Amino acid sequence: PPRDTHTRTRMLVTLSRRFLATQRPMGSIRLTDPTSKSMTSSSLRFVFLEGGAGIGKSSVCERLARMGYVVHFERFVDLCAQYPRLDPKSAAMSLVWAAHLVQRMNAIEALFQRDPSLVQHAVAFFDRSLFTPMIYSRAASSEAVQFWREIAESVSAAYPTSIYLCHTDERVQQMRLAQRLSEESSNVAREIRHELGEDDEAFVRRVDAECAALR
């Protein structure tokens, strides 16, 4: 995998363009059969970028937004700050985040139905997917894992969706996470990132392994 952030971003943007041109998956996970009737050229499609913290998903989404695509950013830390009574690692906080994501999907679909030209190439990109709560669970029971999997699969059955797993060099990832924490201006946000394990190298590796297991 490329170690240079610019190279990695350029590579993923190129893959996104290829996806738009071919309607074929650019990653290792596919939740929707591209031959199904729901995946016609006139249908709105939702593309989710998945992977651990510091992989580069937000950088790619920022680039796609500058290119004119509809993009939904994760903003989990900001959302946690809005619900200070909820533990950032709790199932309740994950449920709040997941609800916001589905609401955003519904809003984008309404926008597309009102005027398809407002959603470039009939595709919307999302920073993370509904598999994130399952991936990040530190000690989830098998029932909890199945709960989040069923939610993700039920949404993918209702909407044309694809999930793409992003990768980067581990050293680049560690550098990005350290830089993110050092540059975080808000003490509240810094503490939330700490609680989420962004400065815990062992946990970050475990998350990466959980992401790889989705293949």
Side-chain angles (χ1 to χ4, degrees):
R3 298 177 183 177
D4 177 77
T5 301
H6 175 71
T7 301
R8 183 174 67 253
T9 301
R10 184 175 57 195
M11 178 188 69
L12 287 173
V13 170
T14 299
L15 286 171
S16 69
R17 285 173 172 166
R18 186 179 305 164
F19 165 77
L20 294 172
T22 65
Q23 297 189 22
R24 282 183 258 181
M26 59 181 176
S28 56
I29 304 172
R30 181 188 300 169
L31 297 185
T32 304
D33 179 2
T35 63
S36 68
K37 293 181 179 179
S38 64
M39 290 293 284
T40 63
S41 59
S42 60
S43 296
L44 173 63
R45 293 159 288 162
F46 295 94
V47 176
F48 298 89
L49 301 185
E50 191 55 88
I55 291 294
K57 302 178 302 299
S58 295
S59 297
V60 174
C61 284
E62 288 169 0
R63 178 72 179 275
L64 290 167
R66 289 196 297 269
M67 293 166 61
Y69 292 104
V70 172
V71 175
H72 173 74
F73 291 91
E74 171 201 352
R75 308 299 189 209
F76 185 70
V77 172
D78 295 339
L79 195 60
C80 288
Q82 295 176 31
Y83 294 83
R85 290 183 178 273
L86 296 180
D87 184 337
K89 302 187 300 296
S90 68
M93 194 64 241
S94 292
L95 193 61
V96 170
W97 178 83
H100 275 253
L101 186 149
V102 175
Q103 288 170 359
R104 180 58 176 155
M105 292 177 69
N106 191 60
I108 293 173
E109 183 178 50
L111 179 70
F112 179 76
Q113 291 176 345
R114 186 167 68 250
D115 185 352
S117 68
L118 296 177
V119 183
Q120 183 167 273
H121 292 131
V123 62
F125 290 91
F126 278 65
D127 180 359
R128 293 200 176 281
S129 73
L130 286 169
F131 276 111
T132 291
M134 182 183 74
I135 293 170
Y136 270 81
S137 177
R138 287 179 180 268
S141 64
S142 59
E143 290 81 5
V145 170
Q146 183 61 27
F147 170 76
W148 284 111
R149 182 176 291 276
E150 288 179 1
I151 289 178
E153 291 177 348
S154 65
V155 171
S156 73
Y159 299 89
T161 60
S162 297
I163 300 180
Y164 298 110
L165 184 60
C166 302
H167 302 273
T168 192
D169 185 89
E170 184 177 345
R171 286 171 293 181
V172 173
Q173 182 183 22
Q174 292 173 354
M175 178 188 69
R176 288 171 61 88
L177 290 174
Q179 182 178 9
R180 179 187 293 175
L181 286 169
S182 66
E183 294 179 352
E184 185 63 72
S185 59
S186 166
N187 290 332
V188 173
R190 191 180 300 111
E191 180 59 29
I192 290 172
R193 292 191 184 281
H194 172 72
E195 291 185 41
L196 292 173
E198 289 193 8
D199 55 354
D200 182 343
E201 291 186 11
F203 179 62
V204 170
R205 290 193 187 97
R206 199 202 101 177
V207 168
D208 290 342
E210 293 288 342
C211 290
L214 288 175
R215 294 186 179 186

